[in-house]
Amino acid sequence: MRTTLLLFCFLGILSCTNQQKEANNATENAIPAALKPSAEKHPILKVDNPYVSLGRLVEGDSVFHTFNFKNTGNLPLKIISVNASCGCTTPKWSTDVIQPGKKGFIRVKFDSKGKEGKLQKTITAYCNTLPAENRMAFKVEVVPKK
C-alpha cells in the first residue's frame, strides 16, 4: 500500500515537471530563428512598475491597468503569450516585435465579480527573453456591494 502511494506521488511530480517542460518547449518553438536569444544577444523586458496596487473597488466592478515596458536588450523582443493567474484577469499585449530601446505594453482587465477581500494576481509574459517567463503583479481590495 505504501509503495503504491509513493509511486503515485512520484508519477504526479513527474507529470508536473513534464508539463512545465512542454510549456517551455512550446514557447521556444514559437520563436522565429532570427529572434532566438543567446548569451550575447537577447532582449530584456524591463517593466516600468512590475508590482502595482489598484486600490479598492466594489464587487462586480472592473479595473484596467497597463504595464508599460521597454526592451533594454540588444535583440528584438517578441511576446509569444501572456497568461494571468486566474480567469478574472484578461490580458492584451503588444503583438508587434519590440525593437531594442523601444516600448511596448501589457494591458490587463480585472473583473471583481464573485471576488472579495485583498487579492493579488500575477501576469506572466512568455517572450524570447532569457528566461522566457517575465512576471508582473497587482494587488486589489474588493469590498462587498452594499
Side-chain angles (χ1 to χ4, degrees), residues 10-137:
F10 180 72
L11 289 175
I13 291 169
L14 274 179
S15 70
C16 290
T17 304
N18 286 338
Q19 287 176 354
Q20 188 175 12
K21 285 180 184 175
E22 287 173 17
N24 287 341
N25 287 340
T27 300
E28 255 184 49
N29 293 338
I31 299 170
L35 298 179
K36 294 247 187 215
S38 68
E40 300 81 33
K41 293 194 106 207
H42 57 276
I44 299 170
L45 188 146
K46 174 96 168 91
V47 180
D48 292 346
N49 232 344
Y51 184 75
V52 295
S53 175
L54 301 182
R56 299 175 97 188
L57 65 148
V58 176
E59 188 272 327
D61 289 347
S62 295
V63 65
F64 291 88
H65 180 74
T66 302
F67 291 95
N68 293 301
F69 65 85
K70 184 175 185 177
N71 177 3
T72 60
N74 55 7
L75 186 72
L77 184 142
K78 175 68 175 162
I79 298 176
I80 306 304
S81 67
V82 178
N83 295 336
S85 58
C86 82
C88 60
T89 305
T90 309
K92 295 187 187 248
W93 60 90
S94 300
T95 55
D96 294 335
V97 172
I98 311 298
Q99 296 298 322
K102 299 298 180 185
K103 295 184 176 190
F105 69 90
I106 297 170
R107 182 175 166 89
V108 294
K109 175 186 177 187
F110 171 73
D111 182 359
S112 70
K113 184 178 180 182
K115 306 290 182 203
E116 190 175 316
K118 294 180 179 182
L119 306 169
Q120 179 173 312
K121 302 299 175 184
T122 304
I123 297 88
T124 305
Y126 296 92
C127 310
N128 62 326
T129 54
L130 295 174
E133 299 89 12
N134 298 271
R135 288 191 174 81
M136 51 223 78

Side-chain angles (χ1 to χ4, degrees), residues 1-9:
M1 177 72 175
R2 231 182 198 175
T3 307
T4 305
L5 182 60
L6 287 173
L7 179 62
F8 280 116
C9 289

